[in-house]
Each structure stands twice: as C-alpha cells, then as structure tokens.
Amino acid sequence: MSTISNPGHRPISFAAPSGIDRAAHHRLDEAWLAAAWSHPTTRVFVVSGGQALIDDTADGGTELVMTPSFEAPVTETHRYFLGTDEDGVSYFALQKDSLPGRMDQSARPAGLREAGMLLSARDAALMVHAVALENWQRLHRFCSRCGERTVIAAAGHIRRCPACGAEHYPRTDPAVIMLVTDEEDRALLGRQVHWPEGRFSTLAGFVEPGESIEQSVAREVFEEVGVTIGEVEYVASQPWPFPSSLMLGFMARATSSEIDVDGDEIEEARWFSREELRAAFDSGEVLPPYGISIAARLLELWYGKPIPSRTPGPNA
C-alpha cells in the first residue's frame, strides 16, 4: 500500500491542526487537575446527547459556548479534561443530562454534523473529543469482565472496576472509506438504502477482526457492489464519533467494472466520469457528500476542484 498526499485541497473536518495539547500525562494527577479546574482562565462547556451549545460571533463566525469553571454546572463525576492550548488555557467538558439554558437566548444546541462545518479547528477538536468520551461513557458503564458498575478515572479517559480491578479505555472502531476508480479513471459512487434519492457518496465499511485495512477495502467494495480491487493508496484519516469510529481514507483502483449491488447496504451504484458528475451536480440529479465528511475530500482529490458544498442542518 502506498500513500498519496492531498495538497491544495480543503482540510478534512475534525482533522485540521487545532492547537490543543491533550496533555495526557496530567489525567492521573488529581492535584494538577484540581488546580487547572480552579484557574480563572480555564474554560468549560457542557455536552449532552452528542450536542453542545454554539453561538454566532460578531465577526460572522461560530464558537462553542464556554464559561469559566466557577460558572459551570455542578458535577464531580462526569468532568472530562480535554487538554491545554499554547497560552496555557485548560479546557474541560461536563457531561449532563441536558444542555443549560442561556439568558440571552442567542445560543443554540448543535451536533457535530452541523457544528463541525462552522466551528474553528480548536473548537471542533474540543467538541469531537468531548462527544466521543460522552458516547463511550454512556455505553460502557459496566465491567465487561464481571458485570460490576465501573467508576470514572483519568479525567474521563478510563473506567475502573472496583470489583475485579479491570481498567476499560475508550473504544475506537476502525473503518475504511474509499473512492474507487477504474481504468478509464471514472469514479464509483454508491447510494445507501436509507439515503434520499440522488444522494451518492464513496463506499465505506468497518474493519473486521484479523483483517488488514487493505483487505478490508477490497472486501467491502466487493461485498457492496461486486467490484474487485487491486492497488490501494492511503490518503488521510478522520475522527468520526458517530458514535466511535476512525475513518481511514483511501483511493483504490478497480480491476473489474461490472456492478452488482448487494441490495442490503447499497441500493444503487454508478461509475461517473468527471464530466458526467459535473453535469449531474449541475442538474441536481446527484447530491454530493456532506462537506463535513472525508468522503468529500476523497472525491475532490479525484475531481480536481471543490465539489458543491452541502452543510447538514440540526436534524441531519
């Protein structure tokens, strides 16, 4: 497997340099964490159900709604240390059952699919980290070894079992996402069964136990559309906490071109030349992948320029 670069193209959402040092060496230092929490420059935001409050700024941007720690809602258990920035500011997230209200009513709740296209790289990275931890915490409250309820440790990054002593760490599921091209340099795009008519994107799937990522690319493409794969080139990765994935992006070269969709995951798949895809975008016959996804960056790498942008709304 070779690796190709992505020069001159838009950065991948959630993967751009954020300026945040996760400072993992502080997670077990309770004295340091207590001092950081009480410091006047520390900033805190609440995460609930995969959402946080965002607000529009005077300069036309969007930011996470953060407060000093002394103004934050009270919680001792679900308090997660996310890291520090280059100015020494510490950031924490609080997991709550609901988001706090805002007296000025200007802030609004948003999930990552909406907020990720609007926030700065710093705020997006903080929210991705917090949402991923929240997802894991909600789903892994009991020890998988003995069944006892576990307790939170390491500032939200470990759950310990008081009965058998097992330590459990946040789970990340590797998934492959690939733009397949054929010998005519056409791109293969598919439409999932539950997607609206006209929405096409790259193929994707999870890596199975005992499988290399190259094997996973070939298996997923063949299972979904019946196309065989030869050369595979790695492009980039993207955190994708919906709820706990890491997307590994590839360009893959097909060694066959006949399509046979599985009908379970993929309902329709088509080969597109650049001209055909441009015409389909212009006519509205094809809706492009959401700009937040690495799928859009993979497609642009082949397409040669930005594709039409689609930003998911609050309910997407």
Side-chain angles (χ1 to χ4, degrees):
M1 180 180 66
S2 59
T3 303
I4 59 177
S5 61
N6 188 25
H9 291 269
R10 288 183 286 178
I12 297 169
S13 298
F14 312 142
S18 65
I20 296 295
D21 178 357
R22 293 197 172 196
H25 56 289
H26 289 311
R27 292 173 186 168
L28 294 171
D29 188 339
E30 294 297 335
W32 187 94
L33 290 169
W37 175 257
S38 62
H39 198 280
T41 64
T42 292
R43 291 296 176 264
V44 181
F45 65 95
V46 174
V47 60
S48 179
Q51 292 190 319
L53 289 178
I54 63 173
D55 205 352
D56 297 326
T57 61
D59 61 2
T62 303
E63 63 184 8
L64 278 175
V65 174
M66 292 190 270
T67 66
S69 56
F70 60 83
E71 294 181 4
V74 176
T75 178
E76 290 297 328
T77 305
H78 295 279
R79 186 169 77 189
Y80 311 142
F81 172 60
L82 304 179
T84 61
D85 64 19
E86 58 186 10
D87 296 321
V89 175
S90 296
Y91 296 90
F92 288 82
L94 303 180
Q95 177 181 324
K96 304 288 285 184
D97 291 334
S98 62
L99 295 175
R102 289 271 287 180
M103 293 181 63
D104 58 16
Q105 299 298 313
S106 65
R108 64 186 186 277
L112 278 170
R113 284 185 170 88
E114 178 189 5
M117 293 292 290
L118 304 174
L119 297 174
S120 66
R122 183 203 68 176
D123 283 10
L126 291 170
M127 187 173 175
V128 165
H129 192 174
V131 167
L133 285 177
E134 183 206 20
N135 284 331
W136 174 68
Q137 293 282 358
R138 289 187 185 278
L139 295 175
H140 295 81
R141 293 176 295 170
F142 297 91
C143 179
S144 58
R145 180 184 294 176
C146 71
E148 183 72 23
R149 179 179 287 274
T150 54
V151 295
I152 296 173
H157 295 77
I158 294 176
R159 292 192 73 103
R160 288 199 179 107
C161 179
C164 70
E167 289 189 344
H168 304 279
Y169 294 84
R171 174 179 173 177
T172 298
D173 300 316
V176 291
I177 182 167
M178 45 275 173
L179 180 66
V180 179
T181 57
D182 67 1
E183 60 181 10
E184 299 177 37
D185 203 25
R186 297 180 300 173
L188 178 60
L189 300 180
R191 184 170 68 83
Q192 291 190 19
V193 172
H194 63 276
W195 285 354
E197 191 72 27
R199 182 183 169 191
F200 283 80
S201 188
T202 56
L203 304 179
F206 287 103
V207 179
E208 292 188 346
E211 184 178 54
S212 72
I213 53 178
E214 296 93 338
Q215 291 169 334
S216 180
V217 169
R219 176 186 53 77
E220 284 287 347
V221 173
F222 186 77
E223 286 180 355
E224 292 185 348
V225 297
V227 171
T228 55
I229 294 299
E231 183 182 4
V232 174
E233 296 180 292
Y234 172 74
V235 178
S237 64
Q238 179 185 37
W240 196 249
F242 302 108
S244 57
S245 298
L246 175 66
M247 305 300 294
L248 306 169
F250 299 89
M251 304 293 284
R253 180 66 72 174
T255 56
S256 68
S257 59
E258 184 175 349
I259 295 173
D260 181 18
V261 297
D262 64 2
D264 294 323
E265 293 185 61
I266 302 298
E267 186 170 36
E268 181 183 3
R270 294 165 54 185
W271 292 103
F272 292 91
S273 68
R274 290 173 181 81
E275 294 73 21
E276 289 169 340
L277 188 58
R278 185 178 301 114
F281 284 155
D282 291 343
S283 68
E285 177 188 359
V286 169
L287 304 175
Y290 288 122
I292 195 175
S293 170
I294 191 175
R297 303 293 87 79
L298 294 174
L299 190 56
E300 288 177 347
L301 190 59
W302 165 82
Y303 194 59
K305 63 180 181 179
I307 61 175
S309 177
R310 295 182 67 225
T311 302
N315 299 318

